[in-house]
């Protein structure tokens, strides 16, 4: 279904907005905002606060934030000519929810919204979610803007995935492979954010491949999915210009001991399937093993590392290139 927001994306607004991302992706968010009517007024490890003046549509197209919120102290001004004024529920008043973390303050806030604004308290289905960091706009959640994907327990956070795709610098028509594709998050993002030719996904687990099949079909990304071991890829040498993967970290998925065999085998295969000048972007938290393994793999070298935090972990995205032309 196309994105049908309960907010008017074409109504010009003037507002101070908090955009939340993941640590490590703040620069990418700032970069994407440069061409928008947005001035950064504050920068945190996982967020930007911006003064925004214009329609929300171009902001809604930015991949690098998952939550957009209005400051709780600025609800009145936002309702006058800001993002809250652009809310357009077709079926009655604005519905809201007040988070428990607001403590005792939440009852007063609830009454003010009901009595003063005519909003409806509806914790089950809301347009605005009030939390200590602000009034989150449901219509601008990443999952609302781009749709929800089926996930495995180890699926890649879509903000992190978007950074991996950006680092891969996929050129139009290039073949893209994820040899650890799981539910196919990176395949979907590569297909949506770039214009690849062939998109290939490999995983050892057929149950994750069936989720990947659902995801690529739902998002209209033509992809070939194959059950195989990343150490023995059913792919011709030199035929894949870009490899993208979120490797098993050896913590919640697999173990360091398993990685000691998996990483050398997988990197040897990546070196084989890439042509000279090809590029792989690989995310892992098993960093020492990864760096040592790249050093031992002929023709591969790390050209960039970006630390991306999520869920208490601080994995790095390594950009690896293959020597030669
Ligand atoms: C971190 S998850 C990838 C998550 C994926 N990007 C997603 O968004 O769902 C790592 C994946 O590697 C797969 N895997 C583990 N060992 C493998 C191997 N030897 N060959 C191929 N895939 C493997 C697991 O089944 C798991 O789906």
């Amino acid at each position: 279904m196309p994105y049908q927001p309960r907010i008017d994306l074409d109504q010009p607004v003037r507002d101070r907005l908090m955009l939340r991302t993941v640590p490590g992706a703040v620069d990418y968010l700032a970069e994407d905002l440069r061409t928008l009517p947005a001035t950064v007024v504050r920068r945190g490890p996982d967020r930007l606060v911006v003064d925004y003046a214009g329609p929300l549509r171009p902001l809604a197209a930015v991949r690098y934030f998952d939550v957009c919120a209005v400051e709780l102290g600025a609800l009145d001004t936002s309702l006058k000519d800001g993002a809250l004024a652009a809310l357009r529920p077709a079926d009655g008043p604005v519905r809201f929810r007040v988070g428990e973390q607001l403590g005792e303050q939440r009852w007063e806030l609830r009454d003010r919204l009901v009595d003063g604004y005519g909003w409806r308290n509806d914790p089950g289905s809301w347009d605005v979610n009030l939390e200590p960091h602000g009034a989150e706009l449901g219509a601008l959640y990443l999952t609302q803007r781009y749709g929800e994907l089926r996930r495995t327990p180890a699926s890649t956070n879509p903000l992190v995935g978007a950074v991996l795709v950006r680092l891969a610098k996929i050129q139009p028509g290039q073949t893209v492979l994820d040899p650890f594709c799981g539910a196919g998050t990176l395949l979907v993002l590569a297909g949506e954010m770039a214009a690849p030719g062939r998109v290939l996904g490999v995983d050892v687990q057929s149950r994750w491949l069936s989720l990947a099949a659902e995801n690529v079909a739902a998002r209209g990304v033509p992809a070939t999915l194959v059950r195989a071991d990343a150490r023995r890829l059913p792919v011709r040498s030199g035929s894949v210009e870009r490899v993208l993967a979120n490797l098993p970290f050896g913590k919640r998925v697999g173990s360091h001991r398993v990685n000691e065999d998996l990483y050398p085998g997988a990197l040897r295969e990546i070196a084989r399937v890439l042509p000279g000048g090809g590029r792989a972007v690989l995310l892992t938290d098993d960093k020492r093993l990864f760096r040592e393994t790249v050093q031992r793999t002929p023709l591969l070298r790390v050209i960039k590392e970006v630390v991306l935090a999520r869920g208490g972990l601080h994995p790095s995205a390594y950009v690896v290139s293959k020597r030669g032309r």
Side-chain angles (χ1 to χ4, degrees):
M1 243 220 312
Y3 170 45
Q4 291 172 323
R6 293 163 60 84
I7 194 164
D8 183 352
L9 294 175
D10 297 312
Q11 174 173 317
V13 306
R14 184 173 289 279
D15 217 334
R16 178 160 290 188
L17 302 172
M18 185 281 287
L19 304 172
R20 192 185 71 187
T21 182
V22 290
V26 176
D27 285 343
Y28 297 95
L29 176 58
E31 228 172 287
D32 270 19
L33 293 177
R34 242 175 246 156
T35 54
L36 270 51
T39 309
V40 176
V41 293
R42 222 170 31 247
R43 207 185 151 96
D46 70 343
R47 64 197 56 199
L48 290 177
V49 176
V50 299
D51 278 342
Y52 193 86
L56 292 166
R57 190 174 293 281
L59 182 66
V62 171
R63 290 265 181 190
Y64 298 98
F65 69 90
D66 58 359
V67 166
C68 171
V70 172
E71 286 171 2
L72 289 186
L75 296 181
D76 289 335
T77 48
S78 182
L79 263 170
K80 208 161 351 119
D81 59 0
L84 295 180
L87 287 171
R88 286 283 174 279
D91 50 357
V94 171
R95 299 189 298 242
F96 71 95
R97 165 186 184 275
V98 189
E100 279 174 21
Q101 284 189 17
L102 281 163
E104 290 308 307
Q105 188 197 348
R106 68 189 199 275
W107 311 123
E108 182 249 313
L109 194 54
R110 180 198 61 189
D111 294 345
R112 184 150 69 89
L113 297 175
V114 173
D115 301 337
Y117 298 172
W119 286 11
R120 191 167 79 218
N121 184 18
D122 188 347
S125 160
W126 39 266
D127 303 301
V128 179
N129 179 33
L130 293 114
E131 296 289 349
H133 58 250
E136 302 177 349
L137 295 156
L140 291 184
Y141 274 23
L142 186 70
T143 43
Q144 284 291 309
R145 294 181 287 127
Y146 285 102
E148 203 126 15
L149 290 171
R150 303 291 309 273
R151 298 173 57 80
T152 79
S155 272
T156 312
N157 174 301
L159 292 175
V160 170
V163 174
L164 302 186
V165 171
R166 182 151 176 161
L167 290 169
K169 296 190 174 167
I170 300 164
Q171 304 301 309
Q174 287 187 329
T175 296
V176 176
L177 162 73
D178 181 348
F180 296 91
C181 75
T185 314
L186 300 177
L187 305 176
V188 167
L189 292 173
E192 289 182 340
M193 294 172 62
R198 291 180 71 209
V199 175
L200 309 172
V202 164
D203 203 283
V204 272
Q205 298 236 32
S206 35
R207 57 186 169 146
W208 303 149
L209 285 169
S210 47
L211 295 185
E214 280 183 45
N215 283 333
V216 294
R219 301 283 274 258
V221 173
T224 306
L225 303 170
V226 184
R227 180 165 172 261
D229 191 310
R231 291 164 290 194
R232 283 179 295 279
L233 292 171
V235 173
R236 265 188 305 116
S237 303
S239 65
V240 169
E241 289 93 355
R242 295 292 184 264
V243 173
L244 275 172
N246 177 0
L247 305 176
F249 291 175
K251 290 188 174 155
R252 289 170 199 159
V253 179
S255 69
H256 176 73
R257 170 133 332 151
V258 169
N259 284 351
E260 284 176 334
D261 179 65
L262 181 61
Y263 281 19
L267 281 163
R268 220 170 19 246
E269 275 296 79
I270 289 171
R272 179 182 70 76
V273 301
L274 285 174
R279 167 182 281 237
V281 179
L282 305 167
L283 185 78
T284 181
D285 207 24
D286 206 343
K287 303 189 192 193
R288 207 165 87 180
L289 173 66
F290 180 84
R291 278 196 232 101
E292 286 171 3
T293 309
V294 173
Q295 270 169 15
R296 283 201 301 269
T297 308
L299 300 176
L300 294 188
R301 70 191 166 110
V302 172
I303 57 173
K304 187 171 180 164
E305 176 180 353
V306 178
V307 181
L308 289 159
R310 63 165 289 249
L313 299 174
H314 295 80
S316 283
Y318 291 96
V319 181
V320 173
S321 85
K322 180 170 169 183
R323 292 195 185 85
R325 280 257 131 226

